[in-house]
Amino acid sequence: MPAAIELIGITKRFPGVIANDNINFTVQEGEIHAICGENGAGKSTLMKILYGMQPADEGVMRVNGEEVVFRSPTDAIEKGIGMVHQHSMLADYLTVLENVILGSEPLKHGALKAGGVIDFAGASEHLHEVGEAYGLTVHPNDLVETLEVGERQRVEIIKVLYRGAKILILDEPTAVLVPQEVEGLFRNLRELKQDGSTIIFIDHKLQEVLEIADTITVIRRGKTVATVAADSVTASDLAELMVGSELPTPDTTGSTITDVVAVDVAGVTVLNEDERPVVNDVSFSIRKGEILGIAGIEGNGQSELIDALIGVQAITGGKIELLGEDMAKWSVRKRRENGMAYVPQDRHTEGLLLTAPLWENAALGYQTMAPFSKGPWIDRAGSRERTDEIREIFDVRSPNAEISAHALSGGNQQKLIIGREMTSNPKFLIAAHPTRGIDVGAQADVWNKLRDARAAGLATLLISADLDELIGLSDTIMVMFHGSLVATLDPANVTPRELGKYMTGAADKNDGAETAESETIS
């Protein structure tokens, strides 16, 4: 029986870099095959070639033994390949059913293609059949904007299955899931495998890779370095193959908390456009030398809290102080100039100008300050020099500071943002998912820099979907649920699974935690 996927001698060149260098990659039918590699290793490029998003310069692709050349994702879909991207591709204001059929709308019998009538009833019936067959329950009429992250992911998966995909590419599928949602996803993947689907699984979380994969291929610097059975290696073995070092941990030992309150948030409330509180009477303080972690499933008010802190969202009640000064009415610019740094939760929409060169991106938010400006003028030389420092210190892999941010891998984009914020000598850092999409080697560097900054007196608000990271780095963890802080937890006495229960509202509030009302950090 031929392999489901064979990539032979795949090479892809970009200006100044060889992203894929004679890669060989084989996936057997009915297996879960993981791809691991550090940022810039070439994983995403290889999958884009397989999915028809860009052509290979050299090499051969075979699907189920047949040699193929894909000129677009449509070609890949026709051969039974579907891809679930790292960043959600769903339209929030459409229903589940509308998202699933978008671009391939079925028409009622006899209807003309142009101006035809969409067969929603037939599509809904087919969607139900696909869901039943693969154990993926979705509600066709739900608006996507109302769904939790795990539910959105099920919609993404069922969308490719609806279109007949038997080979699924999943890019960082667990990045924003709590442990309970990861368990649910893995159950779905195992059921898909039992039903004959072939799954290519890209992930940076090596323990998860070992749990779900049958086979693992490691790519380093654009080359295939190993293909191994998952039950024959450990996470440390994989880390060694990926980056040549041991598996890092985020664990922080010893307190560096001072008596000086850097940030004081009291009774902050934010209303949405419907006058409903999305941040409800939130209070906390962060001292110099302290990392406060906020846990919560995305959509429970963390984004709105961040927006209030950085100044793009007005608060309707409460106060926000930075080193004793009320900054609730300060502009974003004034907050930046007074020492607030921000690693955004979405690097593409908030963190970067993707078509601009790296040196312009390094200046974002700091363009009024040295070394990026001289008086009212942009200092191009100073900007380029600082960018080169960031590239070196944070290992941002790029040929120079002139290339666009879009040309970087997702992980290198993230490292550029972190470098920009951490080299600004901040007094208060908001770090939202700082290591999302970053390989184990880069994770260790970021964790070390956060710990070093903590020891030097930086006050940090850490929001992360990586619960091991949250537990390892935080001095205290608070849980946000439906816009409120509902519990305060000691990281030394909580596991990721227990934390996940608080995040989903399933935990007993009297078991192992203080409620937000009985204890705040001050």
Side-chain angles (χ1 to χ4, degrees), residues 104-237:
S104 59
E105 294 86 351
L107 301 181
K108 289 186 176 180
H109 182 67
L112 297 175
K113 184 67 175 176
V117 178
I118 297 174
D119 184 5
F120 284 108
S124 181
E125 182 179 350
H126 182 42
L127 178 61
H128 177 73
E129 290 170 353
V130 173
E132 286 286 309
Y134 292 103
L136 291 164
T137 302
V138 296
H139 300 287
N141 296 323
D142 285 353
L143 278 177
V144 163
E145 68 173 345
T146 67
L147 302 182
E148 302 288 358
V149 178
E151 293 172 320
R152 288 174 181 241
Q153 197 162 59
R154 283 197 294 276
V155 175
E156 296 266 22
I157 293 173
I158 205 169
K159 180 175 181 176
V160 298
L161 295 172
Y162 178 93
R163 299 177 185 212
K166 294 295 290 183
I167 300 170
L168 279 69
I169 305 168
L170 305 182
D171 189 5
E172 300 281 348
T174 68
V176 296
L177 303 184
V178 298
Q180 289 82 351
E181 291 175 317
V182 172
E183 291 171 4
L185 172 64
F186 284 3
R187 282 194 301 271
N188 291 146
L189 296 185
R190 292 185 182 105
E191 289 171 0
L192 290 170
K193 173 186 168 182
Q194 288 176 358
D195 289 331
S197 294
T198 302
I199 298 166
I200 300 173
F201 184 88
I202 303 171
D203 201 351
H204 285 108
K205 300 177 183 178
L206 300 185
Q207 293 293 351
E208 290 180 355
V209 167
L210 292 171
E211 180 181 346
I212 193 62
D214 301 302
T215 308
I216 303 167
T217 291
V218 179
I219 298 175
R220 185 196 293 178
R221 301 293 176 95
K223 296 179 181 289
T224 308
V225 296
T227 296
V228 297
D231 59 8
S232 70
V233 292
T234 65
S236 294
D237 294 333

Side-chain angles (χ1 to χ4, degrees), residues 89 127 202 233 276-277 396 416 469:
M89 306 294 281
L127 178 61
I202 303 171
V233 292
R276 181 176 60 86
V396 180
L416 177 69
E469 174 176 83

Side-chain angles (χ1 to χ4, degrees), residues 20-343:
N20 293 154
D21 188 0
N22 193 35
I23 282 184
N24 297 299
F25 176 62
T26 301
V27 182
Q28 299 301 325
E29 183 178 347
E31 76 168 349
I32 299 177
H33 195 123
I35 301 179
C36 295
E38 58 185 334
N39 296 126
K43 308 182 300 296
S44 294
T45 299
L46 189 66
M47 291 302 99
K48 288 177 181 177
I49 291 171
L50 175 58
Y51 193 53
M53 297 176 70
Q54 56 192 24
D57 295 324
E58 299 172 14
V60 173
M61 293 197 303
R62 295 194 184 106
V63 178
N64 297 318
E66 178 187 352
E67 187 169 327
V68 296
V69 176
F70 294 153
R71 292 179 173 82
S72 71
T74 300
D75 293 341
I77 291 168
E78 288 177 353
K79 290 297 182 182
I81 300 173
M83 185 168 181
V84 177
H85 298 270
Q86 179 178 354
H87 298 281
S88 176
M89 306 294 281
L90 301 176
D92 281 352
Y93 297 110
L94 296 181
T95 67
V96 168
L97 179 62
E98 289 167 341
N99 268 279
V100 168
I101 66 174
L102 189 63
S104 59
E105 294 86 351
L107 301 181
K108 289 186 176 180
H109 182 67
L112 297 175
K113 184 67 175 176
V117 178
I118 297 174
D119 184 5
F120 284 108
S124 181
E125 182 179 350
H126 182 42
L127 178 61
H128 177 73
E129 290 170 353
V130 173
E132 286 286 309
Y134 292 103
L136 291 164
T137 302
V138 296
H139 300 287
N141 296 323
D142 285 353
L143 278 177
V144 163
E145 68 173 345
T146 67
L147 302 182
E148 302 288 358
V149 178
E151 293 172 320
R152 288 174 181 241
Q153 197 162 59
R154 283 197 294 276
V155 175
E156 296 266 22
I157 293 173
I158 205 169
K159 180 175 181 176
V160 298
L161 295 172
Y162 178 93
R163 299 177 185 212
K166 294 295 290 183
I167 300 170
L168 279 69
I169 305 168
L170 305 182
D171 189 5
E172 300 281 348
T174 68
V176 296
L177 303 184
V178 298
Q180 289 82 351
E181 291 175 317
V182 172
E183 291 171 4
L185 172 64
F186 284 3
R187 282 194 301 271
N188 291 146
L189 296 185
R190 292 185 182 105
E191 289 171 0
L192 290 170
K193 173 186 168 182
Q194 288 176 358
D195 289 331
S197 294
T198 302
I199 298 166
I200 300 173
F201 184 88
I202 303 171
D203 201 351
H204 285 108
K205 300 177 183 178
L206 300 185
Q207 293 293 351
E208 290 180 355
V209 167
L210 292 171
E211 180 181 346
I212 193 62
D214 301 302
T215 308
I216 303 167
T217 291
V218 179
I219 298 175
R220 185 196 293 178
R221 301 293 176 95
K223 296 179 181 289
T224 308
V225 296
T227 296
V228 297
D231 59 8
S232 70
V233 292
T234 65
S236 294
D237 294 333
L238 290 178
E240 185 75 28
L241 287 169
M242 287 170 57
V243 296
S245 61
E246 294 183 358
L247 188 68
T249 67
D251 295 344
T252 297
T253 57
S255 175
T256 60
I257 301 174
T258 71
D259 293 329
V260 180
V261 174
V263 180
D264 189 25
V265 174
V268 166
T269 296
V270 175
L271 302 181
N272 66 7
E273 57 189 16
D274 298 324
E275 299 298 311
R276 181 176 60 86
V278 287
V279 177
N280 188 15
D281 194 24
V282 164
S283 299
F284 60 82
S285 295
I286 310 175
R287 300 180 180 93
K288 287 187 175 182
E290 179 179 17
I291 296 178
L292 170 63
I294 298 286
I297 295 173
E298 291 190 13
N300 276 274
Q302 305 96 306
S303 295
E304 292 82 359
L305 175 61
I306 290 172
D307 288 347
L309 292 174
I310 65 174
V312 298
Q313 171 70 59
I315 63 174
T316 55
K319 69 172 184 177
I320 305 172
E321 291 185 351
L322 177 63
L323 293 173
E325 292 191 68
D326 184 2
M327 65 174 184
K329 295 184 179 180
W330 287 1
S331 66
V332 176
R333 173 176 170 176
K334 185 172 182 179
R335 296 181 200 216
R336 287 288 212 173
E337 291 176 343
N338 279 271
M340 178 180 287
Y342 174 43
V343 176

